[in-house]
Amino acid sequence: MTLIANFIPLQKPDGGPNFYEFGDDVVYRIHVSNGGDGRADVTYEFAFTTKVRSNKTFLYNTGPIASITDPNWNRPQYYSVKRIVRTSGQSSDDSTADADNYDGDGGHHPSARSETLGKDLTCPPVNVGVRSTPNYAHFTAEAVHKLPGNRLVFAGQRAEAFFVDLGSIFDLGTLRPFQSLHLIPSANAVGVNGLQGLNVHTIAIQVPKSDLIRKGPSPTGVNDPAAVIGVYASASRRKSSVLRSDGTKSSSGPYVQVSRLGNPLFNEVIVPMADKDRWNRVSPYQDSQFAKYVAKPELAGLLPALYPGVFPHLAAYTKPRADLLAILLTGIPAGLIPNFQNYTGPTQADLLRLNVAIPPSASPNPLGIIGGDLAGFPNGRRVTDDVVTIELRAIAGAVLGLVDPTFVPDGAATAILDGSSNTNPPVLDVFPYLGTPAGGYQTTPGTPAV
């Protein structure tokens, strides 16, 4: 099974001389909950160190970089990987956590079992250009490291595989293919990927299934509760930072979680502005305080207003959105979709849920479950899944009838399209799957439009 967490989005490839890199002052984590309480039972922890070979130059590289160990790379990054396992009866989010190694909400109690899987692992350089990082694709294989226990890991820059028409959806909720029906109409147009030509920093780790499921017998089938895991990623910083007069910085105190994500766009589209920072700070098992925003999402109320007459059934619906509460906060219980469930229990938590007993699809449908493919989002998330279209349709009521048979979805709900696609280098068919990052020299800046 492969776990992928992306950080530092919207990277312009030609952003030298201070190119993007992981933070030395940040602890990055991928958490797995398998006990039904929304708390982390298994965590993979990543910490990075940057080495400056020469501080007498402003250059990222002093010549062509031939390999990830080439001395011409002036700012190589190295990292360590730990696997932390919550012990029986222990809270993984104990506020008495050791100040030097654990944060209060996102980490583990210091008595948790911790195993270092790798250290001094090398990242690849960013894709500077054809002279500095020639034939960039070979760096990817060099930076895939084998770990004990039949595990693989990669950390470095990749092409952004997520796609979304940012310019359209945030222009007062303009939805394709019926922009002409908007309260402020415009001609229907083809979707534009707002992440076109941009890169991201990826942490990917591939592990045996036994690493992630709860202890005991292997899951016996799709309906076995032990077959479902929930995953989220987080980033944490030290609680206190001091800026010195010489420009350097020192940090101290316990690590504090400053960001997290399970389901894509949960914080961006569900949580209101005043609560976004608090949402980032707390752990998923505390998400019942945000359930009111899922039960009555703002966007679902806006759609009938922005598209008069297009969503009459949605406009008339006043009950809490049990469908979204299930999809986003508890998982989908058995009995709603034949041969499927990814229910993690009654604890409401923003987790990306996966039923590991469902095999990968031989013919993946990018619309996932609403496209009849039980191996797709929101059952896990493949990098090629059209998650924006799926979530927009869900918010518009396309699957509400599963939990409330009295509701008939509006025809427009199943017609909504994000309308964009991945226009960046294609995904790979081998680990770490995300494509080769765009190069700085090769990048052609876009033409502004007014």
Side-chain angles (χ1 to χ4, degrees):
M1 297 181 62
T2 302
L3 308 176
I4 297 175
N6 288 334
F7 298 88
I8 323 174
L10 302 172
Q11 293 183 17
K12 196 168 181 289
D14 52 348
N18 302 311
F19 291 99
Y20 297 93
E21 60 191 13
F22 291 105
D24 289 0
D25 59 343
V26 179
V27 171
Y28 303 87
R29 297 186 176 109
I30 301 175
H31 310 265
V32 178
S33 176
N34 60 33
D37 59 4
R39 298 174 184 262
D41 296 288
V42 178
T43 294
Y44 296 93
E45 184 176 280
F46 304 81
F48 292 82
T49 302
T50 304
K51 177 181 178 181
V52 178
R53 289 192 163 109
S54 172
N55 60 9
K56 304 299 184 182
T57 178
F58 71 89
L59 294 170
Y60 180 79
N61 55 290
T62 55
I65 303 174
S67 71
I68 62 174
T69 59
D70 195 315
N72 283 339
W73 183 15
N74 197 42
R75 289 183 65 87
Q77 277 205 309
Y78 306 89
Y79 65 101
S80 63
V81 185
K82 289 182 180 179
R83 182 175 184 265
I84 305 167
V85 180
R86 172 185 172 191
T87 57
S88 178
Q90 169 203 85
S91 169
S92 66
D93 307 279
D94 195 322
S95 61
T96 63
D98 180 81
D100 290 330
N101 297 296
Y102 303 90
D103 66 11
D105 284 322
H108 285 258
H109 190 279
S111 65
R113 297 199 312 275
S114 176
E115 175 188 6
T116 298
L117 300 178
K119 57 184 179 179
D120 298 324
L121 305 173
T122 309
C123 297
V126 301
N127 193 350
V128 179
V130 295
R131 297 162 188 81
S132 296
T133 48
N135 304 312
Y136 187 89
H138 74 88
F139 293 113
T140 304
E142 290 180 13
V144 173
H145 301 284
K146 293 182 178 181
L147 301 176
N150 195 29
R151 304 177 179 103
L152 296 175
V153 70
F154 172 92
Q157 189 182 57
R158 305 309 297 160
E160 177 63 88
F162 185 53
F163 51 95
V164 55
D165 191 345
L166 287 171
S168 180
I169 188 64
F170 289 111
D171 186 16
L172 288 180
T174 308
L175 301 178
R176 306 183 193 279
F178 33 83
Q179 303 98 309
S180 60
L181 302 178
H182 195 283
L183 191 64
I184 308 173
S186 61
N188 291 348
V190 177
V192 176
N193 180 16
L195 306 179
Q196 180 174 332
L198 302 180
N199 295 327
V200 72
H201 264 58
T202 293
I203 296 174
I205 185 166
Q206 192 172 87
V207 301
K209 186 191 303 183
S210 58
D211 256 23
L212 307 180
I213 59 177
R214 69 183 69 171
K215 287 184 177 180
S218 296
T220 57
V222 170
N223 290 323
D224 187 339
V228 181
I229 61 172
V231 182
Y232 75 102
S234 71
S236 300
R237 295 182 181 273
R238 294 284 192 181
K239 191 170 187 177
S240 299
S241 293
V242 176
L243 300 178
R244 301 191 184 94
S245 58
D246 64 358
T248 60
K249 181 179 73 171
S250 64
S251 300
S252 61
Y255 279 101
V256 175
Q257 180 179 290
V258 295
S259 73
R260 56 141 169 154
L261 185 67
N263 287 291
L265 302 177
F266 189 103
N267 195 17
E268 290 86 343
V269 179
I270 298 292
V271 181
M273 196 174 296
D275 276 345
K276 289 186 183 297
D277 287 340
R278 183 160 61 93
W279 182 91
N280 270 314
R281 177 63 185 89
V282 304
S283 289
Y285 78 94
Q286 299 168 301
D287 280 345
S288 61
Q289 63 188 298
F290 305 107
K292 58 186 177 182
Y293 305 131
V294 179
K296 193 175 182 180
E298 183 180 10
L299 183 56
L302 287 173
L303 289 179
L306 293 173
Y307 295 89
V310 176
F311 296 96
H313 297 167
L314 185 65
Y317 196 78
T318 59
K319 300 178 187 177
R321 291 293 299 274
D323 57 330
L324 299 179
L325 289 166
I327 293 169
L328 297 175
L329 291 180
T330 64
I332 301 169
L336 296 179
I337 300 173
N339 303 313
F340 179 79
Q341 63 92 18
N342 65 352
Y343 184 67
T344 53
T347 299
Q348 294 179 318
D350 172 39
L351 299 170
L352 186 61
R353 294 167 172 84
L354 176 69
N355 189 317
V356 303
I358 295 175
S361 173
S363 302
N365 187 318
L367 292 179
I369 291 178
I370 66 172
D373 181 358
L374 300 182
F377 182 75
N379 186 37
R381 174 187 172 185
R382 300 169 300 206
V383 294
T384 55
D385 283 345
D386 189 353
V387 298
V388 177
T389 293
I390 295 168
E391 290 190 335
L392 286 174
R393 290 187 181 185
I395 287 175
V399 296
L400 179 53
L402 291 176
V403 297
D404 186 349
T406 67
F407 180 80
V408 178
D410 296 295
T414 56
I416 292 176
L417 293 172
D418 170 64
S420 67
S421 61
N422 181 17
T423 49
N424 292 326
V427 298
L428 309 178
D429 58 5
V430 295
F431 183 84
Y433 302 110
L434 273 71
T436 301
Y441 176 79
Q442 300 94 307
T443 294
T444 303
T447 302
V450 294

